[in-house]
Amino acid sequence: MAMVQSVVVMMAAAPSILPRAELPSLSRLSPAPLLRSLGLGRQWDSVKVGPLTVSPMGIGTWAWGNQLLWGYEEEMDEELQRVFNFAISKGINFFDTADSYGTGKLNGRSELLLGKFIQEYRGGKEGLEKNVNIATKFAAYPWRLMPSQIVSACNGSLDRLEMDQLALGQLHWSTVNYAPFQEQALWDGLIAVYEQGLVKAIGVSNYGPKQLVRIHKYLQRRGVPLSSVQVQFSLLSKGIQQMEVKAVCDDLGIKLIAYSPLGLGMLTGKYSPTNVPQGPRGFLFKQVLPGLDPLLNTMRDIAEKRGKTISQVAINWCICKGAIPIPGVKSLQQAQDNLGALSWQLNGDEVARLEFVAEKAPRGMIQNIFQTA
C-alpha cells in the first residue's frame, strides 16, 4: 500500500477553440479598482509572490499529459485550451507546471500545451509578459549534478513554453533525504537561472521547515530572494509539518503555494468509499474516504448555507490560511466551479469548525516521499 500511495503522490512528477476575435483581451486581466467598487469586473485582489503579482488562486497542470494517474488523452487538448482561455478571461493569471509533467513519451507535455495555448491566445508578446505568470519546476533527477544542468533544464522549459523568461522557476524537490551531496548543485543552479535573467523569481517545492530555512539562508548570502515554497496543503494535509512551513513562510516573507488543495479529489464531495476513481487514486481513496464523513458533511453544511460547492469551500480554506491554491483542472466545468472559491471568505467560526473535524479524521493524505524535514 505504501508503494501505491507513494506513486500517487510522487507523480505530481490543439487549435484554438474560439475565434481569436472572441477571446477577451489580456489587457482586461487587471480591471481598475473603480470598477470593483462599482461591482463590475472581478471582486478579488491580486497577491504578491516576490516581485510577481498573481491571482489569489492558480491552476495546476499536473494532469495535462499524465495518463497513469489522471487518464490524459490527446483528445482532451481542446477542452484544456477552453480551460486556459476561460481562466485568462476571468483574471486567473498563474499557472503551475513542471518539466517532468507527462507520462513516458509525453514527458514535458504540460509545458508544451501551455506554450501552445499562450501562443494561440495572446495578441502580442508584451501582453503575455505582463499578464500571464508561468511557474515551472525543475526535477532533481540524479543526473542533474551540476548547476549548469539546471540552467539547461530551465532553457528546455522555456523552449517548450515558447517564452523568453519564466515568472517563477522552482526546484521540484530536495535530494537531502537520499543524495545530500547533490543539494548544493541544485541550489546553485537555481541561483544561476535567476542571475542569468531566465526567471523573474525562484522558489522550491516539497521543502519542510528546516530545509526551507537552510536554503533561504544560503540564497540570502548570495543576495538572491526566495519567493515561494510549494507543498501539499489542504484540509487533509494540515499536519504539524505543514503548519511549521506556514510559520516559516510568515516569518521570512515567503509565499506558500498549496498543491492538491482538493486532496486529489477527495474534498470535492464527488466520491464515496463505494465510488472511487480508477487507477492508483482509487486505492488511496478507499483507505481515506471511509473516515471523512464528518469533514465532508461539515463542508457540505457550510457550502449549502453559503450557496457554494464543497470544492469551493476547500479551496477557500486554503486562501483563508494565506496560501495560493493551485487546484488541478481538466474540464471547463471544473474551472468554472473553482472560480466560485474567490470573491468571498469563510469566517473564523467556519474555519475553526472545518479544522476541528479535519483533525478528527482517522487518515489524511500521505505526504510526498520527497518532502523534507
Side-chain angles (χ1 to χ4, degrees):
M1 171 182 168
M3 180 176 293
V4 175
Q5 291 179 322
S6 296
V7 169
V8 171
V9 177
M10 215 172 93
M11 294 178 59
S16 180
I17 306 311
L18 298 174
R20 194 173 295 275
E22 294 181 24
L23 298 176
S25 168
L26 284 172
S27 64
R28 288 188 292 177
L29 284 174
S30 300
L34 176 60
L35 293 178
R36 292 203 302 270
S37 70
L38 295 173
L40 302 174
R42 74 185 186 207
Q43 297 299 303
W44 41 263
D45 293 321
S46 298
V47 297
K48 299 292 289 185
V49 180
L52 310 173
T53 300
V54 306
S55 47
M57 177 185 71
I59 287 182
T61 64
W62 175 17
W64 298 13
N66 187 296
Q67 294 177 315
L68 180 60
L69 192 62
W70 297 106
Y72 168 81
E73 298 293 343
E74 291 186 30
E75 292 76 17
M76 298 177 178
D77 290 355
E78 290 188 357
E79 181 73 357
L80 295 178
Q81 186 162 19
R82 291 188 184 97
V83 167
F84 180 84
N85 290 344
F86 172 79
I88 292 293
S89 74
K90 297 300 181 181
I92 303 300
N93 70 347
F94 186 58
F95 296 82
D96 180 78
T97 183
D99 64 1
S100 63
Y101 284 177
T103 306
K105 66 179 182 179
L106 295 175
N107 194 51
R109 182 70 174 176
S110 174
E111 290 181 332
L112 284 168
L113 286 174
L114 271 174
K116 181 183 185 303
F117 298 162
I118 290 168
Q119 292 295 327
E120 293 285 344
Y121 190 97
R122 63 186 170 123
K125 188 173 181 180
E126 181 180 351
L128 167 70
E129 293 180 342
K130 221 172 149 181
N131 295 290
V132 180
N133 294 282
I134 304 297
T136 199
K137 299 181 290 293
F138 313 122
Y141 292 133
W143 56 85
R144 288 179 175 170
L145 298 172
M146 297 182 294
S148 61
Q149 290 171 299
I150 296 298
V151 174
S152 295
C154 184
N155 281 317
S157 291
L158 288 169
D159 287 344
R160 286 186 289 276
L161 289 161
E162 301 183 62
M163 301 181 73
D164 297 320
Q165 186 184 45
L166 289 165
L168 182 65
Q170 308 157 96
L171 291 179
H172 205 155
W173 64 83
S174 167
T175 64
V176 71
N177 288 340
Y178 62 93
F181 61 87
Q182 188 181 357
E183 190 84 336
Q184 185 172 332
L186 297 173
W187 293 0
D188 287 340
L190 205 57
I191 291 170
V193 299
Y194 179 79
E195 291 182 339
Q196 291 180 28
L198 301 178
V199 301
K200 295 178 183 177
I202 59 174
V204 292
S205 180
N206 297 307
Y207 271 57
K210 293 180 181 178
Q211 198 67 359
L212 183 59
V213 169
R214 292 188 187 108
I215 188 173
H216 179 270
K217 288 182 178 178
Y218 186 83
L219 296 175
Q220 191 174 49
R221 287 197 295 268
R222 298 285 296 273
V224 176
L226 181 63
S227 295
S228 67
V229 59
Q230 185 177 145
V231 297
Q232 187 175 204
F233 190 75
S234 72
L235 282 164
L236 287 181
S237 297
K238 55 173 290 296
I240 294 174
Q241 190 176 64
Q242 278 88 356
M243 301 319 293
E244 287 180 352
V245 168
K246 179 62 172 60
V248 170
C249 288
D250 292 342
D251 184 48
L252 299 178
I254 301 168
K255 193 63 183 180
L256 179 65
I257 300 173
Y259 73 77
S260 295
L262 296 175
L264 297 179
M266 281 185 278
L267 295 177
T268 63
K270 299 176 183 177
Y271 300 101
S272 69
T274 57
N275 175 34
V276 299
Q278 295 181 345
R281 274 199 308 154
F283 186 85
L284 178 60
F285 279 35
K286 289 178 181 178
Q287 313 306 312
V288 178
L289 279 173
L292 286 191
D293 279 350
L295 174 58
L296 291 173
N297 288 338
T298 301
M299 295 174 71
R300 186 174 291 108
D301 178 62
I302 292 173
E304 289 175 354
K305 290 178 179 177
R306 288 222 174 231
K308 299 295 179 180
T309 66
I310 293 176
S311 296
Q312 290 165 2
V313 169
I315 294 170
N316 192 270
W317 176 85
C318 292
I319 295 173
C320 288
K321 304 305 286 187
I324 299 175
I326 49 170
V329 179
K330 294 195 299 178
S331 70
L332 183 59
Q333 182 180 0
Q334 290 175 345
Q336 292 167 339
D337 184 73
N338 289 350
L339 191 70
L342 303 180
S343 305
W344 64 283
Q345 194 168 44
L346 293 162
N347 62 41
D349 288 342
E350 290 168 330
V351 169
R353 282 181 63 198
L354 290 169
E355 293 180 1
F356 178 78
V357 290
E359 289 169 4
K360 301 295 183 182
R363 280 179 177 270
M365 286 291 292
I366 186 170
Q367 292 309 296
N368 194 304
I369 60 171
F370 292 123
Q371 181 76 32
T372 70

